Amino acid sequence: MLRTMRNIGIMAHIDAGKTTTTERILYYTGKSHRIGEVDDGEAIMDWMEQEQERGITIQSAATTTYWKDHQINIIDTPGHVDFTAEVERSLRVLDGAIAIFDAVRGVEPQTETVWRQADRYNVPCIGYVNKMDRLGADFFYVLEDVKNKLKVNIAPLQIPIGKESSFEGVIDLIEMKEIRWENNGEEMQFSPIAPERENTAKEWREKLIDTLSGVSDVITEKFLAGEELNASLIKSELRKAVLSRGILPVFAGASRRNLGVQPLIDAIVDFLPAPDEAAAASGHNTKKEEEIKIPCDPKGQPLGLVFKIQNDREAGSLCYVRMYSGSLKSGTAVYNIGKKKRERANRILRMHSNKSEPMDSLSAGDIGVVIGMKLAQTGDTIGGEGFPVLLEKMQFPEPVISISIEPKTISDQDKLKDILALLSKEDPTFTIRENDETGQLVISGMGELHLDVLVTRILKEYKLGAKVGNPQVTYRESIGKPNDHSENFSKILAGKENAAGVTLRVEPAKRGSGNKYVYAAKTSSIPAEILEAIERGINGAFSSGIVMGYPCIDITATVTDIRYSEQTGSEFAFEACASMAFDEAARAASPLLLEPIMAVDLSSPHEFVGEVMSLVTQRGGQILSMNSKTDIDEIKAQAPMEKMFGFMTSLRSVSQGRATFSLEFSHFEKKSER
Ligand code: GDP
Ligand code: MG
């Protein structure tokens, strides 16, 4: 059962054809009734209203389909870097991926970003050069570009027959046959290689064997002995190389014209790993305080990761769960390991592209939707009480922009808070803050588009009228030098004295290292609650800032002494005292304001590149590199976030809408440094 399962994702630069290809896969695997066209806004995977309007895929949903006795779970990954967290989250739960390249553009900036992430998670990949029918399509150029930019060992398993509008099929270099498609791509026609293409095909087949023998001794030996290399041997050796990320096999096609899709689905089965062949998940046993590997074993202790939550007005929270070990039965209790709370898995569903199907249980390796859990948040580990293991936490980047949001009618304030709470359960990269003085709600996220999408969801999906402020940069505060401060606190509450004394040292830490709390007081026999109260006070002070109220970063706060008496010492007093000690210490430690600097990746048609670059420099940006391609130039730059608002509009106007860009958080920098 496990060996016939695949959990895969499709990653690509926006517009490379991920949605179109996914649609075709679902169509040919027979699970969707008709081919949805992205351009009609009807694609099945892009099921949220907003995604359809914007024509981009935002949320990753998992869809199950079947091909040649194999079950394929497709985890949708977003193409836009404003949604990096979504990409990270899907990479966590998939075992293999298809990387799609545009046949004209080759490797685009976001492809590189996603590739780096796939590297980090060790995800085996296959490559697909889509849009072979486009004017300027060049399979061999893309191969070179992939090899140079992604530094991988590529092995084309096909070469195209014809290109641009005359692209008609591929030569399969393993079977050494020509493949053409008929009848809406539903029928494949196989024929012998035409004499005029025979030499080229032989040459590429030789390159394939050569590449493969670089990683396979079996192939090398057989080849040297002059033995016949049959297709199944080549495939099984290739499979090993793909699983160890030693080779990237590459396919060609034009998904929109229904050319090339079935061999790609075969390749999912042939080359991408089954759940028990993928690298075992890592976890942390909270009882024994040790790191463990979790083998994919349906008979093991139950352990699963909630990797996605979608709120459905009828069913409540749809928790997408990937099981790593054991199984989860529908209608039974589940234990939320981090939150130490029991919940019920009322129902378990398998999601197909157009329907959902109830399941009795969800086993190791598989992905499904659990309904009934109210506490679970994205990133939570669920399982049983007897096996307290937390799966590795997902890492999310820093939110760098904020907007204030206010309901049109004051009576809607609570409703708005509820909606924001629901949305943040689905998306851990956005945060909500309530301004202590004004009571105004401020939401922070990864970029303008990210917040825009959240706001549109509030307005449209939840139909709540709200006013939003202009986007603002979320700065950070830090300090420029070390400082010590001793604070004493005393307050009479209900006739009883509450007193505390805390001495604290604050020190600047290396940029990017985050805040750290250290307890180094020599005072002994302090109750644990008091120590926890001090830590709470410091952590609270870290997030409420120094001078401007922005969150602190890169500060180490060390408690060097405390004054505690059993009669008057209370948690309340120590929490307040620690927080005040921090504020006083930091205020006199040369406070600094840090601003987020963004990595800006642009692509522009040649004729606009001058204007595009000066647009970036006008906004205080620095051009880092430029790379010229057949139809466009790619520019990498860095610019302060505060100057990048509304950049999309200016970029459109200088390039007649033809230049594109992405913004991704790079680092924080002292505000006056630029
Ligand atoms: P995504 O952003 O990666 O999901 O890309 P889409 O699937 O939405 O496709 C982006 C655009 O490229 C759409 O207009 C598609 O119709 C078009 N497209 C997709 N596949 C092909 C193809 O094989 N050939 C051509 N010429 N266009 C394609
Ligand atoms: Mg899409």
Side-chain angles (χ1 to χ4, degrees), residues 14-15 17-20 38 46 55-57:
I14 197 151
D15 270 356
K18 189 181 59 165
T19 305
T20 308
V38 198
D46 287 15
I56 54 172
T57 311

Side-chain angles (χ1 to χ4, degrees), residues 56-271:
I56 54 172
T57 311
I58 299 158
Q59 306 276 345
S60 54
T63 306
T64 300
T65 191
Y66 299 91
W67 181 250
K68 298 185 178 167
D69 297 328
H70 282 67
Q71 175 193 330
I72 303 175
N73 298 324
I74 304 175
I75 296 119
D76 197 23
T77 57
H80 199 283
V81 278
D82 259 17
F83 307 104
T84 319
E86 294 278 345
V87 182
E88 295 262 0
R89 153 186 333 172
S90 34
L91 285 172
R92 264 300 292 280
V93 298
L94 49 81
D95 301 319
I98 302 175
I100 301 189
F101 307 100
D102 180 313
V104 180
R105 299 227 161 135
V107 177
E108 296 175 88
Q110 286 166 23
T111 332
E112 280 185 81
T113 309
V114 184
W115 188 264
R116 270 185 270 122
Q117 289 167 325
D119 245 344
R120 191 156 73 231
Y121 289 106
N122 251 316
V123 175
C125 293
I126 54 184
Y128 176 62
V129 179
N130 186 35
K131 304 200 187 181
M132 280 304 303
D133 61 321
R134 257 187 85 187
L135 193 69
D138 187 343
F139 183 72
F140 302 102
Y141 156 74
V142 177
L143 293 181
E144 279 303 305
D145 203 34
V146 171
K147 194 163 76 187
N148 295 334
K149 288 215 182 112
L150 306 182
K151 312 266 181 291
V152 287
N153 204 4
I154 48 163
L157 302 191
Q158 302 175 336
I159 52 170
I161 305 174
K163 70 172 176 180
E164 303 178 337
S165 60
S166 65
F167 173 66
E168 57 187 72
V170 296
I171 296 175
D172 178 334
L173 297 174
I174 295 181
E175 303 286 352
M176 287 304 267
K177 279 196 180 116
E178 297 194 347
I179 310 177
R180 281 180 185 70
W181 281 265
E182 269 167 27
N183 194 7
N184 238 347
E186 276 174 68
E187 279 160 43
M188 293 207 278
Q189 304 285 337
F190 298 90
S191 52
I193 297 172
E196 69 270 25
R197 283 184 285 272
E198 219 163 81
N199 283 340
T200 323
K202 274 195 183 133
E203 181 194 324
W204 282 95
R205 158 98 175 186
E206 270 165 33
K207 286 189 192 175
L208 168 65
I209 301 301
D210 202 43
T211 308
L212 193 53
S213 55
V215 294
S216 159
D217 293 342
V218 182
I219 298 285
T220 315
E221 278 162 29
K222 295 228 176 214
F223 179 75
L224 290 179
E227 281 178 49
E228 186 65 27
L229 296 169
N230 65 41
S232 75
L233 178 74
I234 296 179
K235 281 188 191 165
S236 67
E237 289 304 296
L238 255 173
R239 169 163 241 275
K240 288 183 205 158
V242 175
L243 296 198
S244 61
R245 285 181 63 86
I247 279 184
L248 178 76
V250 185
F251 297 81
S255 296
R256 195 170 69 185
R257 291 187 46 203
N258 306 313
L259 303 172
V261 181
Q262 294 92 336
L264 190 64
I265 316 175
D266 282 337
I268 296 173
V269 166
D270 287 341
F271 304 121

